[in-house]
């Protein structure tokens, strides 16, 4: 089955290709198909993931997988949350977002944080029964960036059990621990039950 990934993020595509390798599918980003990202007007990851999946499926004529994910920090009331990719404004780079994040936390001693991921699989744009899987990865934010792996907030996301940031983890280890890795594992389990023909 040819699936469209409702994202133009190269890092996200690379991670999901590895995480969803057991599926008998070919994953193509919507960017390669000339599909622009839709507005993400909602305040929750699950609502935005559904919007993105339906949009990508409608414009590609394919089944779709969408991920909406981000970082939620207790001291900031859950921010940046669904605005994680554009925390510092439209067109913000990872460096821009990280600078704003560290500045926002400058007066906070409590820096507990968690990455959240919601993966949605739909067979067609109007699919009334989307398969939805969630994952959460707890950690804390550190002021000094460390590591050159991953993307986004990874250099500032410290994982206590690993004694390093997400950007310092081996990709295989990160995929095992991460929010997206947990969501992908849950999605694979759900799809193996609903659509066993998709799982190799």
């Amino acid at each position: 089955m040819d699936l469209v990934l409702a994202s133009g993020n190269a890092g996200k595509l690379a991670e999901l290709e590895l995480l969803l390798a057991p599926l008998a599918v070919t994953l193509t980003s919507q960017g390669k198909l000339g599909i622009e990202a839709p507005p993400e007007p909602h305040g929750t990851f699950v609502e935005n993931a559904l919007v993105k999946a339906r949009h990508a499926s409608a414009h590609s004529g394919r089944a779709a997988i969408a991920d909406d994910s981000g970082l939620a920090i207790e001291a900031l009331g859950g921010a940046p949350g669904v605005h994680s990719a554009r925390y510092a404004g439209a067109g913000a780079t990872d460096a821009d977002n990280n600078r704003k994040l560290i500045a926002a936390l400058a007066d906070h001693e409590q820096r507990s944080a968690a990455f959240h991921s919601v993966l949605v699989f739909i067979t067609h744009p109007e699919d009334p029964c989307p398969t939805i899987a969630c994952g959460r990865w707890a950690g804390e934010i550190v002021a000094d960036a460390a590591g050159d792996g991953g993307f986004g907030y990874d250099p500032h996301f410290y994982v206590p059990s690993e004694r390093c940031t997400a950007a310092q983890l081996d990709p295989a280890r990160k995929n095992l621990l991460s929010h997206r890795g947990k969501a992908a594992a849950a999605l694979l389990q759900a799809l193996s039950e609903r659509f066993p023909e998709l799982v190799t």
Side-chain angles (χ1 to χ4, degrees):
M1 179 184 287
D2 290 329
L3 295 182
V4 58
L5 173 64
S7 175
N9 185 311
K12 191 175 289 189
L13 175 64
E15 281 193 2
L16 285 172
E17 283 180 327
L18 286 173
L19 292 168
L20 300 177
L23 293 180
V25 300
T26 300
L27 195 61
T28 303
S29 73
Q30 65 181 15
K32 286 189 176 181
L33 299 176
I35 301 170
E36 294 187 6
E40 298 176 36
H42 301 294
T44 67
F45 297 118
V46 67
E47 289 173 300
N48 286 328
L50 280 165
V51 166
K52 292 193 286 188
R54 295 195 190 284
H55 176 85
S57 181
H59 284 80
S60 67
R62 303 180 183 184
I65 287 182
D67 164 86
D68 200 48
S69 55
L71 183 67
I73 300 173
E74 294 178 20
L76 302 180
V82 297
H83 304 292
S84 292
R86 52 193 184 280
Y87 187 44
T93 65
D94 287 348
D96 295 333
N97 289 330
N98 280 309
R99 276 192 294 272
K100 180 173 180 178
L101 178 68
I102 297 308
L105 285 170
D107 296 326
H108 295 276
E109 291 185 13
Q110 173 56 260
R111 296 188 170 204
S112 297
F115 276 121
H116 295 265
S117 173
V118 175
L119 287 173
V120 170
F121 171 86
I122 58 172
T123 57
H124 60 88
E126 304 302 322
D127 189 346
C129 301
T131 302
I132 300 174
C134 304
R136 181 179 183 274
W137 191 17
E140 58 189 68
I141 301 301
V142 292
D144 296 323
D148 55 11
F151 58 96
Y153 299 98
D154 286 355
H156 290 278
F157 186 77
Y158 183 78
V159 187
S161 65
E162 305 299 301
R163 298 181 180 178
C164 65
T165 69
Q168 293 173 298
L169 288 171
D170 173 87
R173 182 64 177 165
K174 181 187 176 187
N175 285 341
L176 182 66
L177 298 172
S178 77
H179 54 309
R180 195 168 290 116
K182 293 173 183 175
L187 184 68
L188 287 172
Q189 179 62 35
L191 291 179
S192 70
E193 296 171 2
R194 290 191 63 190
F195 308 103
E197 68 277 10
L198 288 182
V199 182
T200 58

